[in-house]
Amino acid sequence: MNKKTILVTGGAGYIGSHVVRQLGEAGEQIIVLDNLCTGFADAVLYGELVVGDSGDRELASRLLSEHNIDTVMHFAAHLVVPESVEKPLKYYGNNTCNTRNLLQCCEEAGVKNFIFSSTAATYGIPEGGVATEESCTAPINPYGTSKLMSEWMLRDLSAASDLNHVILRYFNVAGSDPEGRIGQCTPNATLLIKVACEVATGKRDSIKIFGTDYPTEDGTGVRDYIHVDDLARAHLDALEYLRQGGESTLVNCGYGHGYSVREVLDSVQRVNGKPLNIIEQLRRAGDPPQLIAGAERIRNLFGWKPRYDDLDFIVQTSLDWEKKLKSRNNS
Ligand code: UD1
Protein backbone atom coordinates (compact mmCIF):
# COMPACT_ATOMS: atom_id res chain seq x y z
CA MET A 1 0.00 0.00 0.00
CA ASN A 2 1.18 3.57 -0.73
CA LYS A 3 2.52 5.66 2.09
CA LYS A 4 -0.15 7.71 3.86
CA THR A 5 -0.51 11.19 2.44
CA ILE A 6 -1.62 14.46 3.99
CA LEU A 7 -3.84 16.87 2.06
CA VAL A 8 -3.04 20.47 3.01
CA THR A 9 -5.57 23.00 1.80
CA GLY A 10 -4.22 26.57 1.72
CA GLY A 11 -0.67 25.19 1.88
CA ALA A 12 0.65 28.03 -0.29
CA GLY A 13 -0.43 30.65 2.27
CA TYR A 14 1.48 32.13 5.18
CA ILE A 15 0.79 29.57 7.92
CA GLY A 16 0.09 26.62 5.61
CA SER A 17 3.44 26.97 3.85
CA HIS A 18 5.31 26.88 7.17
CA VAL A 19 3.45 23.70 8.12
CA VAL A 20 4.17 22.13 4.71
CA ARG A 21 7.87 22.90 5.18
CA GLN A 22 7.94 21.14 8.56
CA LEU A 23 5.91 18.18 7.27
CA GLY A 24 8.28 17.86 4.32
CA GLU A 25 11.30 17.96 6.60
CA ALA A 26 9.67 15.22 8.70
CA GLY A 27 9.43 13.02 5.59
CA GLU A 28 5.64 13.20 5.21
CA GLN A 29 4.01 12.80 1.80
CA ILE A 30 2.00 15.93 0.98
CA ILE A 31 -0.53 17.19 -1.54
CA VAL A 32 -1.20 20.92 -1.35
CA LEU A 33 -4.55 22.19 -2.62
CA ASP A 34 -4.56 25.98 -3.02
CA ASN A 35 -6.36 28.29 -5.43
CA LEU A 36 -3.46 30.81 -5.16
CA CYS A 37 -5.91 33.65 -4.56
CA THR A 38 -3.77 34.80 -1.62
CA GLY A 39 -1.10 32.07 -1.64
CA PHE A 40 2.08 31.75 -3.70
CA ALA A 41 3.26 28.67 -5.60
CA ASP A 42 6.90 29.32 -4.70
CA ALA A 43 6.07 29.15 -0.98
CA VAL A 44 5.32 25.42 -1.35
CA LEU A 45 8.70 23.87 -0.60
CA TYR A 46 7.55 20.23 -0.42
CA GLY A 47 4.90 17.99 -1.96
CA GLU A 48 2.76 18.39 -5.05
CA LEU A 49 0.77 21.60 -5.58
CA VAL A 50 -2.68 21.24 -7.09
CA VAL A 51 -4.25 24.58 -8.01
CA GLY A 52 -7.94 24.59 -7.14
CA ASP A 53 -10.61 25.32 -4.55
CA SER A 54 -10.95 23.37 -1.32
CA GLY A 55 -14.74 23.62 -1.76
CA ASP A 56 -14.63 21.97 -5.22
CA ARG A 57 -16.15 18.61 -4.28
CA GLU A 58 -15.21 16.85 -7.49
CA LEU A 59 -11.57 17.87 -7.21
CA ALA A 60 -11.30 17.21 -3.47
CA SER A 61 -12.93 13.76 -3.82
CA ARG A 62 -10.57 12.84 -6.64
CA LEU A 63 -7.51 13.88 -4.64
CA LEU A 64 -8.70 12.01 -1.55
CA SER A 65 -9.35 8.80 -3.46
CA GLU A 66 -6.24 8.89 -5.65
CA HIS A 67 -3.69 9.60 -2.93
CA ASN A 68 -4.42 7.38 0.08
CA ILE A 69 -4.99 10.41 2.28
CA ASP A 70 -5.38 9.69 6.01
CA THR A 71 -5.25 13.30 7.21
CA VAL A 72 -6.55 16.64 5.97
CA MET A 73 -5.11 19.88 7.31
CA HIS A 74 -7.48 22.68 6.38
CA PHE A 75 -5.98 26.17 6.21
CA ALA A 76 -7.69 27.60 3.12
CA ALA A 77 -9.74 30.60 4.27
CA HIS A 78 -10.18 34.34 4.09
CA LEU A 79 -8.91 36.01 7.26
CA VAL A 80 -9.13 39.77 7.17
CA VAL A 81 -11.44 40.81 9.98
CA PRO A 82 -12.60 44.25 8.69
CA GLU A 83 -13.24 42.80 5.23
CA SER A 84 -15.41 40.11 6.82
CA VAL A 85 -17.59 42.85 8.32
CA GLU A 86 -18.05 44.46 4.89
CA LYS A 87 -18.47 41.22 2.91
CA PRO A 88 -19.88 38.62 5.31
CA LEU A 89 -21.15 36.25 2.60
CA LYS A 90 -17.67 36.07 1.08
CA TYR A 91 -16.50 34.72 4.45
CA TYR A 92 -19.43 32.37 5.04
CA GLY A 93 -18.99 31.09 1.46
CA ASN A 94 -15.25 30.51 1.46
CA ASN A 95 -14.76 29.64 5.12
CA THR A 96 -17.97 27.89 6.14
CA CYS A 97 -19.61 26.49 2.96
CA ASN A 98 -16.29 25.30 1.51
CA THR A 99 -15.42 23.58 4.79
CA ARG A 100 -18.79 21.85 4.68
CA ASN A 101 -18.09 20.57 1.17
CA LEU A 102 -14.63 19.40 2.10
CA LEU A 103 -16.00 17.60 5.16
CA GLN A 104 -18.53 15.79 3.00
CA CYS A 105 -15.70 14.58 0.74
CA CYS A 106 -13.73 13.48 3.81
CA GLU A 107 -16.70 11.54 5.12
CA GLU A 108 -17.27 9.81 1.77
CA ALA A 109 -13.57 8.95 1.42
CA GLY A 110 -13.23 7.69 5.01
CA VAL A 111 -10.51 10.20 5.96
CA LYS A 112 -9.40 9.50 9.54
CA ASN A 113 -7.96 12.77 10.80
CA PHE A 114 -8.88 16.41 10.26
CA ILE A 115 -6.81 19.29 11.62
CA PHE A 116 -8.58 22.62 11.43
CA SER A 117 -7.20 26.18 11.54
CA SER A 118 -9.44 28.16 13.79
CA THR A 119 -8.97 31.43 15.56
CA ALA A 120 -9.06 33.27 18.87
CA ALA A 121 -11.61 35.50 17.12
CA THR A 122 -14.17 32.80 18.06
CA TYR A 123 -13.97 34.07 21.68
CA GLY A 124 -14.92 37.66 20.95
CA ILE A 125 -14.08 39.70 24.04
CA PRO A 126 -13.33 37.22 26.83
CA GLU A 127 -13.70 38.28 30.44
CA GLY A 128 -10.41 39.47 31.90
CA GLY A 129 -8.76 39.30 28.47
CA VAL A 130 -7.70 35.66 28.86
CA ALA A 131 -9.47 32.88 26.95
CA THR A 132 -9.15 29.21 27.87
CA GLU A 133 -10.75 26.47 25.79
CA GLU A 134 -13.61 26.51 28.32
CA SER A 135 -14.34 30.22 27.82
CA CYS A 136 -17.58 31.14 26.06
CA THR A 137 -17.44 31.65 22.33
CA ALA A 138 -19.06 34.91 21.25
CA PRO A 139 -17.41 36.14 18.04
CA ILE A 140 -17.80 39.83 17.28
CA ASN A 141 -17.15 39.63 13.54
CA PRO A 142 -18.19 37.37 10.61
CA TYR A 143 -14.63 36.02 10.32
CA GLY A 144 -14.83 34.58 13.85
CA THR A 145 -18.40 33.33 13.28
CA SER A 146 -17.48 31.67 9.97
CA LYS A 147 -14.75 29.71 11.76
CA LEU A 148 -16.93 28.84 14.75
CA MET A 149 -19.62 27.44 12.43
CA SER A 150 -16.96 25.23 10.84
CA GLU A 151 -15.86 24.04 14.27
CA TRP A 152 -19.45 23.02 15.03
CA MET A 153 -19.81 21.10 11.77
CA LEU A 154 -16.58 19.28 12.52
CA ARG A 155 -17.68 18.47 16.07
CA ASP A 156 -21.00 17.08 14.84
CA LEU A 157 -19.46 15.07 12.00
CA SER A 158 -16.90 13.52 14.35
CA ALA A 159 -19.71 12.52 16.72
CA ALA A 160 -21.56 10.84 13.85
CA SER A 161 -18.62 9.15 12.09
CA ASP A 162 -15.11 7.72 12.52
CA LEU A 163 -13.47 11.06 11.73
CA ASN A 164 -11.28 12.46 14.52
CA HIS A 165 -10.24 16.08 14.62
CA VAL A 166 -8.09 18.68 16.30
CA ILE A 167 -9.23 22.29 16.22
CA LEU A 168 -6.37 24.76 16.70
CA ARG A 169 -7.43 28.24 17.78
CA TYR A 170 -4.63 30.56 16.75
CA PHE A 171 -3.85 33.73 18.66
CA ASN A 172 -1.71 36.41 16.94
CA VAL A 173 0.60 34.66 14.51
CA ALA A 174 3.79 36.49 13.50
CA GLY A 175 7.38 35.98 12.37
CA SER A 176 8.69 33.82 9.57
CA ASP A 177 10.94 30.86 8.81
CA PRO A 178 14.17 31.50 10.80
CA GLU A 179 16.13 30.34 7.75
CA GLY A 180 14.44 32.96 5.57
CA ARG A 181 13.03 30.65 2.88
CA ILE A 182 9.38 31.64 3.30
CA GLY A 183 7.39 34.35 5.08
CA GLN A 184 4.30 36.51 5.01
CA CYS A 185 3.64 38.00 1.57
CA THR A 186 0.12 39.37 2.08
CA PRO A 187 -0.32 42.60 0.09
CA ASN A 188 -2.03 45.48 1.98
CA ALA A 189 -1.24 43.80 5.28
CA THR A 190 -3.02 45.03 8.40
CA LEU A 191 -1.30 42.94 11.09
CA LEU A 192 0.75 44.94 13.56
CA ILE A 193 4.18 43.27 13.30
CA LYS A 194 4.05 42.97 9.52
CA VAL A 195 3.03 46.64 9.12
CA ALA A 196 5.68 47.83 11.60
CA CYS A 197 8.36 45.90 9.69
CA GLU A 198 7.16 47.46 6.43
CA VAL A 199 7.67 50.86 8.06
CA ALA A 200 11.11 49.81 9.31
CA THR A 201 12.17 48.88 5.78
CA GLY A 202 10.74 52.05 4.20
CA LYS A 203 7.78 50.47 2.39
CA ARG A 204 5.40 52.63 4.45
CA ASP A 205 5.86 56.04 6.05
CA SER A 206 4.38 55.52 9.47
CA ILE A 207 2.75 53.11 11.88
CA LYS A 208 -0.43 54.03 13.70
CA ILE A 209 -1.22 52.98 17.25
CA PHE A 210 -4.95 52.28 17.30
CA GLY A 211 -5.99 53.48 20.76
CA THR A 212 -3.93 54.62 23.73
CA ASP A 213 -6.76 54.68 26.28
CA TYR A 214 -7.38 50.97 26.80
CA PRO A 215 -7.53 49.66 30.37
CA THR A 216 -4.10 48.04 29.97
CA GLU A 217 -0.78 48.90 31.58
CA ASP A 218 0.34 51.41 28.92
CA GLY A 219 -3.09 52.09 27.38
CA THR A 220 -2.51 50.12 24.15
CA GLY A 221 -3.96 46.77 23.07
CA VAL A 222 -2.34 43.58 24.36
CA ARG A 223 -2.05 40.37 22.29
CA ASP A 224 -0.45 36.93 22.58
CA TYR A 225 2.00 36.83 19.64
CA ILE A 226 3.08 33.33 18.61
CA HIS A 227 5.93 32.59 16.20
CA VAL A 228 4.66 30.88 13.03
CA ASP A 229 7.20 28.05 13.36
CA ASP A 230 5.98 27.19 16.87
CA LEU A 231 2.43 27.27 15.54
CA ALA A 232 3.45 25.00 12.65
CA ARG A 233 5.00 22.58 15.14
CA ALA A 234 1.64 22.41 16.95
CA HIS A 235 0.12 20.97 13.74
CA LEU A 236 2.72 18.20 13.60
CA ASP A 237 2.10 17.48 17.29
CA ALA A 238 -1.65 17.35 16.60
CA LEU A 239 -1.01 14.91 13.74
CA GLU A 240 1.04 12.64 16.00
CA TYR A 241 -1.66 12.85 18.67
CA LEU A 242 -4.41 11.79 16.24
CA ARG A 243 -2.33 9.06 14.63
CA GLN A 244 -1.76 7.58 18.07
CA GLY A 245 -5.51 7.37 18.60
CA GLY A 246 -6.11 10.65 20.47
CA GLU A 247 -9.73 11.75 20.82
CA SER A 248 -11.10 14.78 19.00
CA THR A 249 -10.15 17.95 20.80
CA LEU A 250 -9.78 21.69 20.69
CA VAL A 251 -6.66 23.62 21.79
CA ASN A 252 -5.55 27.22 21.99
CA CYS A 253 -2.30 28.12 20.24
CA GLY A 254 -0.54 30.93 22.07
CA TYR A 255 2.22 31.35 24.63
CA GLY A 256 -0.06 32.38 27.50
CA HIS A 257 1.28 35.92 27.89
CA GLY A 258 1.04 39.09 25.90
CA TYR A 259 2.67 42.30 24.71
CA SER A 260 1.18 45.73 24.21
CA VAL A 261 1.34 47.61 20.90
CA ARG A 262 3.96 49.91 22.41
CA GLU A 263 6.08 46.95 23.52
CA VAL A 264 5.91 45.49 20.02
CA LEU A 265 6.93 48.80 18.44
CA ASP A 266 9.78 49.17 20.97
CA SER A 267 10.99 45.74 19.92
CA VAL A 268 10.90 46.67 16.21
CA GLN A 269 12.89 49.85 16.94
CA ARG A 270 15.40 47.92 19.07
CA VAL A 271 15.90 45.14 16.54
CA ASN A 272 16.09 47.53 13.59
CA GLY A 273 18.28 50.03 15.45
CA LYS A 274 16.21 53.02 14.23
CA PRO A 275 13.16 54.90 15.47
CA LEU A 276 9.83 54.39 13.72
CA ASN A 277 7.52 57.19 12.75
CA ILE A 278 4.64 56.44 15.17
CA ILE A 279 1.26 58.17 15.06
CA GLU A 280 -1.23 57.77 17.90
CA GLN A 281 -4.83 57.38 16.75
CA LEU A 282 -8.27 56.58 18.11
CA ARG A 283 -9.25 52.97 18.71
CA ARG A 284 -9.95 50.72 15.73
CA ALA A 285 -13.53 49.38 15.72
CA GLY A 286 -13.94 45.83 16.99
CA ASP A 287 -10.59 45.52 18.80
CA PRO A 288 -10.70 43.89 22.25
CA PRO A 289 -8.36 45.55 24.82
CA GLN A 290 -6.53 42.31 25.58
CA LEU A 291 -6.53 38.79 24.14
CA ILE A 292 -4.28 36.20 25.70
CA ALA A 293 -4.42 32.42 25.44
CA GLY A 294 -4.98 30.12 28.37
CA ALA A 295 -2.31 27.83 26.92
CA GLU A 296 -1.99 24.84 29.24
CA ARG A 297 -3.96 22.25 27.30
CA ILE A 298 -1.73 22.18 24.23
CA ARG A 299 1.34 21.54 26.37
CA ASN A 300 -0.33 18.87 28.50
CA LEU A 301 -2.08 17.02 25.70
CA PHE A 302 0.49 17.18 22.89
CA GLY A 303 3.70 17.85 24.84
CA TRP A 304 4.05 20.96 22.64
CA LYS A 305 7.30 22.82 23.39
CA PRO A 306 7.58 26.27 21.85
CA ARG A 307 11.10 27.30 20.79
CA TYR A 308 10.64 30.95 19.88
CA ASP A 309 8.77 32.55 22.77
CA ASP A 310 10.82 35.74 22.45
CA LEU A 311 9.36 38.94 21.01
CA ASP A 312 12.68 40.25 19.64
CA PHE A 313 13.26 36.96 17.82
CA ILE A 314 9.76 37.05 16.32
CA VAL A 315 10.37 40.62 15.16
CA GLN A 316 13.87 39.77 13.87
CA THR A 317 12.51 37.01 11.60
CA SER A 318 9.71 39.31 10.35
CA LEU A 319 12.18 42.08 9.65
CA ASP A 320 14.64 39.77 7.87
CA TRP A 321 11.81 38.55 5.66
CA GLU A 322 10.63 42.09 4.91
CA LYS A 323 14.19 43.04 3.88
CA LYS A 324 14.31 40.01 1.62
CA LEU A 325 11.01 40.97 -0.04
CA LYS A 326 12.32 44.49 -0.57
CA SER A 327 15.54 43.35 -2.21
CA ARG A 328 13.57 40.91 -4.37
CA ASN A 329 11.27 43.71 -5.55
CA ASN A 330 14.24 46.01 -6.23
CA SER A 331 16.18 43.46 -8.28
C1 UD1 B 1 -7.23 39.87 14.23
C2 UD1 B 1 -7.99 38.64 14.63
C3 UD1 B 1 -7.26 37.41 14.27
C4 UD1 B 1 -6.99 37.42 12.81
C5 UD1 B 1 -6.20 38.66 12.49
C6 UD1 B 1 -6.00 38.74 11.00
C7 UD1 B 1 -9.49 39.10 16.47
C8 UD1 B 1 -9.64 39.13 17.96
N1 UD1 B 1 -8.28 38.70 16.03
O1 UD1 B 1 -6.11 39.99 15.09
O2 UD1 B 1 -8.01 36.26 14.58
O3 UD1 B 1 -6.30 36.27 12.44
O4 UD1 B 1 -6.89 39.83 12.91
O5 UD1 B 1 -6.78 39.66 10.39
O6 UD1 B 1 -10.40 39.40 15.74
N2 UD1 B 1 -2.61 47.63 15.77
C9 UD1 B 1 -2.14 48.94 15.74
N3 UD1 B 1 -1.71 49.44 14.55
C10 UD1 B 1 -1.72 48.71 13.39
C11 UD1 B 1 -2.21 47.38 13.43
C12 UD1 B 1 -2.65 46.89 14.65
O7 UD1 B 1 -2.12 49.64 16.77
O8 UD1 B 1 -1.32 49.23 12.33
C13 UD1 B 1 -3.03 47.07 17.07
C14 UD1 B 1 -4.46 46.57 17.12
O9 UD1 B 1 -5.33 47.61 17.52
C15 UD1 B 1 -4.33 45.44 18.15
C16 UD1 B 1 -2.93 44.88 17.92
O10 UD1 B 1 -2.22 45.92 17.27
O11 UD1 B 1 -4.38 45.95 19.46
C17 UD1 B 1 -2.90 43.64 17.02
O12 UD1 B 1 -3.67 43.89 15.85
P1 UD1 B 1 -3.56 42.98 14.54
O13 UD1 B 1 -2.13 42.63 14.29
O14 UD1 B 1 -4.32 43.66 13.45
O15 UD1 B 1 -4.28 41.61 14.95
P2 UD1 B 1 -5.69 41.39 15.68
O16 UD1 B 1 -6.68 42.40 15.28
O17 UD1 B 1 -5.43 41.21 17.12
Side-chain angles (χ1 to χ4, degrees):
M1 181 115 128
N2 296 340
K3 197 174 167 202
K4 296 269 185 256
T5 302
I6 302 171
L7 177 68
V8 183
T9 75
Y14 170 47
I15 300 169
S17 63
H18 283 80
V19 174
V20 167
R21 205 207 75 226
Q22 288 193 13
L23 289 170
E25 287 169 357
E28 295 287 348
Q29 203 150 290
I30 308 153
I31 304 283
V32 171
L33 174 59
D34 198 302
N35 63 12
L36 300 183
C37 104
T38 51
F40 297 86
D42 61 6
V44 181
L45 301 184
Y46 290 90
E48 180 190 332
L49 170 65
V50 177
V51 179
D53 258 8
S54 61
D56 178 342
R57 290 218 311 253
E58 209 174 303
L59 175 60
S61 290
R62 183 165 61 72
L63 293 175
L64 293 175
S65 68
E66 281 177 1
H67 293 280
N68 191 28
I69 285 165
D70 73 326
T71 301
V72 172
M73 293 191 178
H74 182 38
F75 296 90
H78 293 317
L79 43 81
V80 181
V81 172
E83 187 193 42
S84 80
V85 177
E86 280 159 33
K87 299 177 182 164
L89 297 185
K90 177 174 175 182
Y91 279 69
Y92 292 121
N94 191 43
N95 296 2
T96 314
C97 300
N98 282 357
T99 300
R100 186 235 159 257
N101 286 354
L102 182 63
L103 285 174
Q104 182 176 355
C105 300
C106 290
E107 182 185 27
E108 287 163 3
V111 169
K112 290 199 168 55
N113 309 316
F114 197 95
I115 297 175
F116 179 60
S117 302
S118 191
T119 169
T122 52
Y123 293 115
I125 305 180
E127 237 183 88
V130 179
T132 71
E133 293 84 354
E134 271 80 41
S135 299
C136 293
T137 46
I140 55 169
N141 49 58
Y143 167 65
T145 310
S146 72
K147 288 285 187 173
L148 186 59
M149 287 161 78
S150 300
E151 288 190 8
W152 288 341
M153 288 191 291
L154 193 48
R155 177 198 63 191
D156 294 345
L157 179 60
S158 289
S161 71
D162 291 334
L163 185 83
N164 284 319
H165 70 259
V166 172
I167 292 166
L168 299 167
R169 287 188 179 152
Y170 308 160
F171 282 66
N172 287 59
V173 189
S176 62
D177 171 23
E179 290 180 42
R181 291 160 292 186
I182 46 178
Q184 198 171 6
C185 294
T186 334
N188 311 316
T190 59
L191 297 180
L192 178 66
I193 294 183
K194 170 91 179 159
V195 174
C197 289
E198 288 183 352
V199 177
T201 54
K203 187 173 173 191
R204 298 189 194 216
D205 293 338
S206 60
I207 175 93
K208 299 180 180 78
I209 297 182
F210 296 136
T212 54
D213 60 347
Y214 281 108
T216 57
E217 208 145 289
D218 66 17
T220 66
V222 172
R223 296 289 184 274
D224 189 334
Y225 295 93
I226 173 174
H227 190 279
V228 66
D229 250 22
D230 280 336
L231 178 67
R233 181 61 52 193
H235 293 74
L236 276 80
D237 292 344
L239 176 67
E240 182 67 16
Y241 167 85
L242 286 175
R243 282 188 174 160
Q244 290 192 356
E247 285 178 8
S248 293
T249 192
L250 150 66
V251 297
N252 281 345
C253 297
Y255 292 140
H257 62 87
Y259 294 101
S260 70
V261 175
R262 287 196 205 280
E263 286 173 321
V264 169
L265 298 184
D266 284 349
S267 169
V268 175
Q269 299 184 109
R270 194 163 48 239
V271 170
N272 195 41
K274 280 189 229 152
L276 294 170
N277 181 14
I278 297 172
I279 299 171
E280 296 187 0
Q281 288 218 331
L282 297 176
R283 295 179 182 194
R284 185 174 68 176
D287 275 348
Q290 175 173 303
L291 191 53
I292 292 176
E296 291 301 306
R297 189 185 284 178
I298 186 170
R299 288 178 166 85
N300 295 339
L301 208 55
F302 300 167
W304 178 68
K305 289 197 185 71
R307 295 175 62 195
Y308 304 120
D309 181 1
D310 173 339
L311 181 60
D312 281 4
F313 184 80
I314 293 175
V315 165
Q316 183 73 64
T317 59
S318 300
L319 197 57
D320 289 347
W321 175 250
E322 220 47 61
K323 287 179 181 162
K324 193 164 184 174
L325 282 182
K326 190 177 179 188
S327 66
R328 225 189 249 176
N329 291 340
N330 289 344
S331 62

